[in-house]
Amino acid sequence: MKKSKIFWIYIAVALVVYAIVELLIVNGQLDMYYSNLFITIAINIILAVSLHLVIGITGQFSIGHAGFLAVGAYISAIFTTNLGFPFPVALIIGAIVAAVAGLIVGIPTLRLKGDYLAIATLGFAEIIRIIFLNIDYVGGAAGMQVDYLTTWTYAFFGVLITIIVIANFTNSRHGRACIAVREDEIAADAMGINTTYYKVLAFAIGSFFAGLAGGLFAHNFFIIQPSQFGFLKSFDILIYVVLGGLGSLSGAVIAAILLTVISLYLQDFPETRMIIYSLVLIIVMLYRPSGLMGTKEITDFFKFNKKAKGGKVNE
Amino acid sequence: GSKDQSTTSGSKGNSSKEVKIGLNLELSGNVASYGSGIAKGARLAIKEINDNGGIDGKKIVPVEIDNKSDAAEATAAAIKLATQEKVVAQIGSATSGNTVAAVQIANKNKMPVIGPSATSPTVTVNSDNSVNEYAFRTCFIDPFQGRIAANFALNTLKAKNVAIFSDSASDYAKGLAKSFKETIEENGGKVVAEESYVAKDTDFKSTLTRLKSKKPDFIYIPGYYEEVGLIVKQAREAGITVPLMGGDGWDSPKMVELAGGDSLNNTFFTNHYSSEDPDEKIQKFVEAFKGANKDQAPDAFNALGYDTVYWLKDAIERAGSTDGEKVKDALAETKDLSLVTGTFSVDENHHPVKSATVLEFKDGKQVFNSKVNP
Amino acid sequence: MLTINEINVFYGNIQALKGVSLEVNEGEIVTLIGANGAGKSTLLKTVSGLLKPKQGTIEFQGKTIAGKAAQTIVKAGISHVPEGRRVFSNMSVEENLDLGAYLRKDHKAVAEDKERIFKIFPILLERRKQLSGTLSGGEQQMLAMGRAIMARPKLLLLDEPSMGLAPLMVKTIFHTIEEIRKEGTTILLVEQNAHMALSIADRAYVIETGHVVLSGLAKDLQEAEQVKAAYLGGL
Amino acid sequence: MEWLQQLINGISLGSIYALIALGYTMVYGIIKLINFAHGDVFMIGAFIGFFAISRWDLGFFPALLLAMVVCALLGVFIERVAYKRLRNATRIAALITAIGVSLLIEYTTIFFRGAQPEAYPNVVSSKTFQFLGAQISMQSIMILSVSIVLMLILQFIVHKTKIGKAMRAVSYDVEAARLMGINVDNTISVTFAIGSALAGAAGVIFGVYYTKIDPLMGIIPGVKAFVAAVLGGIGIIPGAVAGGMVLGVVETIVSALGFSSWRDAAAFIILILILIFRPSGIFGKNTREKV
Amino acid sequence: MSDLLLKVENVGIQFGGLKAVSGLNMEMHAGELIGLIGPNGAGKTTSFNMLTGVYKPTEGTIIFNGKKTNNMSPHQVTKSGVSRTFQNIRLFKDLSVLDNVKVANHSLAHHSVISSIFRLPSYFSGETKMEQESIEFLKIFGLDPYMNELAKNLPYGMQRRLEIARALAAKPKLLLLDEPAAGMNPQETQDLMGLIALIREKFDLTILLIEHDMGLVMGICERIYVLDHGQLIAEGKPEEIRNNKKVIEAYLGEEVTE
Ligand SMILES: Nc1ncnc2c1ncn2[C@@H]1O[C@H](COP(=O)(O)OP(=O)(O)OP(=O)(O)O)[C@@H](O)[C@H]1O
Ligand SMILES: Nc1ncnc2c1ncn2[C@@H]1O[C@H](COP(=O)(O)OP(=O)(O)OP(=O)(O)O)[C@@H](O)[C@H]1O
Ligand SMILES: [Mg+2]
Ligand SMILES: [Mg+2]
């Protein structure tokens, strides 16, 4: 049971970090700028980790993650702003509806492979966006004004829950089944794994957390508009996952933090911002094509065990 | 983000010899051309002011932030301007949505925000009709232009069966279309067709073919010149000869190049001013802008960006301070301020009250048609 | 004809060949035997230019070819039938054969060679228009050999040509190898089927974990205890 | 009559998509790279054509040629610098790089000339004539014929010429292709050159036809071309044209029915439906992996 | 003879115009070790693919253990007790050796997704059980020292063995081996023969194997089916097959080499 002890140590460390930041915010040492930065980072981590499950673990090339972000954002916003539900309830409803959307998208499309799957998911995300664009109840193109409810506490626990759920899922027989699908679908099938079930399952879980991130996102920015959920947003999330290292959860987290900070920093160079950003992207990919972390996890460096990723369970 | 230490001293850049102004604009992303249009106008104004000794002797220091045409980024940028850069006021953003994103931040941090082209009423007025104290705009509000266009169509052009072709991805276009439709219907006209396109489309033929079959005698096309230029061209190619009309989004020298002078005959638009207006102020601006931008003639965004800076300067001078609260009050109390895009006062909803001009295209030239007072 | 001198080849940090030297004379069949992972395929890949040796030299007909691009080496007259067939799976059988003659300009002779290959492997004629990816394993092996012969090489490198073939086919393949040699092509053959390989080869090298451990005339090696025990099995 | 007109509208829109999709599918077919920068090479082509015609006073055809040459060089340059190193990396890494290249081209262009659009001068007759009461413009006939001719040429190159065979060989197995004596680097460069030249040509034609060009003009047509290519069966040259046509006609029908704000959604719905029933597109052969 | 385990009746499959297999009839009884041989392209692998649900036969029925499996998907067939190795090795290359086996062990444990996510007791017991069992399998194949290596880093011969271990971990009644000795030298082939005999005893298996190495086939198979051009041309004991005219002509060649 040594491993489970380590698990609790991680949790404890995380909670301490949370408490310190919360304290600094309450005392005003960290102003709105920093709290907003931390919340944004948290949202991006949730997005990255949820897509990591779909692409990195299950190997399904989905490039339409922003669609589920949009579902979570709009649904939760409707529930708080228009229907007056408490924020946490709205968050969960948003996530569940996003998961359902994930099922609806996933069941027909996950039979597709590779680039065909990619374009189909991109297509679905665009369809979702266009639907919101055409619904006047949520403001159409003008967007929907949303109450400011997201706090560091919500964001932090959102991240914590996302990481725990996805890491635990990955390190179980179910996660292994997903990895087997990624490695060789035919062989996985021949080993008795219901590949369709696991693809759809991973997709739905990924969508659920994207929806959660959507709820946090919507209530952090006063207004949501369909144009925020275009395919370029999906690409941003995809970039976190790939830049971090496909198959590495900690890589996704690190890349999400890094790129959010870089992007914020580059605001000071409005003229060259996107040029620098794209150069960073190209150069990292050229010199580290398997991403910053490769398939390693940060815990590998503490050598608790030195096994291939995805196979970490031996409590 | 603590880029320059000189400004970390708290009191809103007041202490030093400079006035910091934030520009929260769409410099990349899908409406980059609007944001950069405002930036160009604003930069020109800032340069002129600084060359002439600044505001009360203090130089304007602009802090430009690119919000990537994204409301979330616009929020983050506003937070940064308010809490890190501690600017006196924010100019921007180009679109109403991105400006709305900054408004709550503005109220919280007592930082006035002026949306040069944020036409939606919601920028300054909340759904419960309360006014956002720190939010302002330089442009018309949507309903105003829509109403003028409708009256023009009914009364001047004697149109009866009108059609609307608007950008469904733009709240600006939708706002204009809405008030246009209401006014038409209130005054006995008939809307025979309502169609929409999506910004960045280039091919409008199928919808135009459909519109043509509805036989309208006037088509209202609120939207920006980038698409409208193509729509007018393709409409004429499709054999639509009736008068076409739009709003200030039509104002750009590119409009003529895109649509072609012939196609533009028999088209009209409402605007703040006419760049052909011999008025000295206007001509001076047009010349200065061309000089600074490789002979490019200014469009509506350039003019609004330019005016916004001058308006802010005026307010700071009247307030005698760079304190956000005082500047806000001065902005709200603006009376008969004469700028390039017209002479205006600010009403209780923070809308600039200014007269509109109806312009007509004749052989590729904007010609003054009539003036409509608010 | 081919002289390999003290080459070292690496995959990243793993050294697969450690100071290997070897010689092939014109008109010979030389076979290379050794356990899985000994480095046989690596050696062939290095000769044909798919890998570059870190140290050492390779000369072909007096000219050094180590480190040259693969297409240059093919042009010089070395053809390689790689391990695992590697046919162009979405192209037809015939197109695969045409690609074998990619660098040749003598169209008439190419057409003749094609006919000859169809004679050696009649099944390929039958499957002429079929996409080669849907061929059976054995059919693909034949195609891969046929494709290499189409280049009319001076030296043919064969990597386990009998792998996965039916007994009758194995015989055909080895028979073909002898035929090709008779027509003047020199052959360097890697085989697991050491019996057969030694029976048609003139000389042989035994390679173990990146080293040449034994070499000599094929018929001598057939008798050597060391070889018998390790590679010929108890049959 | 209205419907005939709409059909014509659909086909002329479709031929534009087809034109862009051809280069896309070509590059994809050979190196299996979703080249997101294709739309931006298309944009560069449009600008080269614009400058050639309006600043340097070249005629339409010299401008077209110039744009094709410059884009071909640009394409080869991009491949050598940004994609070559990634040949053995995961496809997704190459995709991210392509996204990076796309952003780089877009924003470098904006950096040097701003984001405002430019209007193409009138160089090709925009005459229209009547056909059964519908209007057909000379330009759309030109675009349709250019697309079809290019399709035929490409099809010929890829399937009948030596370099075409080399391209296909490279697309299936790079190492085995080397063993055939094929110069893989050059073959890939040629592929990029052709694909990018096509993008450049499409850019100029687009500019002439629709008048407006701007630095971000490549994004939407890029995605649409990708959709068209997938619809037809990605990597299959006639498929790109067929896919473009289907897309154009579907979009037109949706707008003609008065649902223009749904037309992109409709395009994607058609795409998804086709993929569900024909997972490799209209022309794609559904070859199952042999086990 | 014991119970009928597998009955293949008139099975055939067509790819476009090509009839890869037709009118195939086979019967296997529990505990048998049977060979399937035939020239290249005869349809052996294709038959395996039909038996395992990878291809759906276009005609005939396959009855395994009393159940029709024609239209089952591969994972269902595997769950009903048929597992296989592949002609071209298909390991999960980037997974560890141990995880490769654990994947095949998937259905042995029953802890749910929920229990995994919340780390309920059933998760720990299930995972522990899977791990222990997997290690047992690796031990049998002498692969336990390499259990933390990535599968792709194993030498070829070991990869073949790992594939068999993985197939066994799915707890089949019927094991299908597609050219298990391909690419092995005679010595390694000998070892493999011993291993096949061993697992057959130990796990009470029925085995059907495709192989071109006649030494192996004749050495361990009790019965042999011979396919040619998609059709059964002979069936019988090794002795009978060895001397069968048709088989010699189509497959073995004149003098049978050993
Ligand atoms: N691409 C590669 N990356 C890393 N190591 C490799 C690679 N290819 C081969 N090796 C290693 O190099 C060594 C020699 O391999 P090689 O393929 O040359 O052996 P071989 O003698 O041909 O064996 P076989 O009989 O299995 O074909 C082996 O230890 C192998 O694991
Ligand atoms: N998916 C497919 N599409 C088309 N033809 C196929 C397909 N799969 C197999 N075939 C054809 O079916 C025939 C039988 O192939 P199969 O792989 O079963 O042969 P095999 O008996 O296993 O041969 P080998 O011993 O060479 O592996 C071959 O001619 C092959 O080309
Ligand atoms: Mg080898
Ligand atoms: Mg087979």
Side-chain angles (χ1 to χ4, degrees), chain C residues 101-113:
Chain C
Y102 183 76
L103 290 176
R104 288 174 59 182
K105 305 234 164 3
D106 46 342
H107 299 291
K108 229 202 227 127
V110 168
E112 278 166 22
D113 282 1

Side-chain angles (χ1 to χ4, degrees), chain A residues 111 115-116 123 134 246 278 286, chain D residues 28 82 91 100 234 261 268 276:
Chain A
R111 311 179 322 131
D115 303 329
Y116 290 97
N134 282 288
L246 270 187
S278 55
L286 285 183
Chain D
Y28 181 91
R91 304 255 309 277
I234 191 158
S261 56
F268 283 113
I276 286 173

Side-chain angles (χ1 to χ4, degrees), chain D residues 93-129:
Chain D
L95 174 75
I96 300 293
T97 313
I99 294 174
V101 171
S102 158
L103 292 175
L104 183 64
I105 298 178
E106 285 161 14
Y107 288 99
T108 312
T109 311
I110 290 184
F111 182 78
F112 284 111
R113 67 162 296 287
Q116 76 282 1
E118 209 68 71
Y120 243 72
N122 230 335
V123 279
V124 174
S125 146
S126 55
K127 252 203 309 243
T128 60
F129 59 87

Side-chain angles (χ1 to χ4, degrees), chain C residues 127 130 134 136-138, chain D residues 290, chain E residues 40-46 55 87 212:
Chain C
R127 298 289 156 84
Q130 189 174 333
T134 62
S136 81
Chain D
K290 186 177 183 293
Chain E
N40 296 114
K44 305 181 294 295
T45 300
T46 304
Y55 292 167
Q87 181 169 0
H212 289 303

Side-chain angles (χ1 to χ4, degrees), chain C residues 36-37 39-42 83 159-160 190 192:
Chain C
N36 289 124
K40 308 180 294 294
S41 303
T42 307
E83 196 171 23
D159 200 345
E160 304 201 28
V190 165
Q192 289 293 354

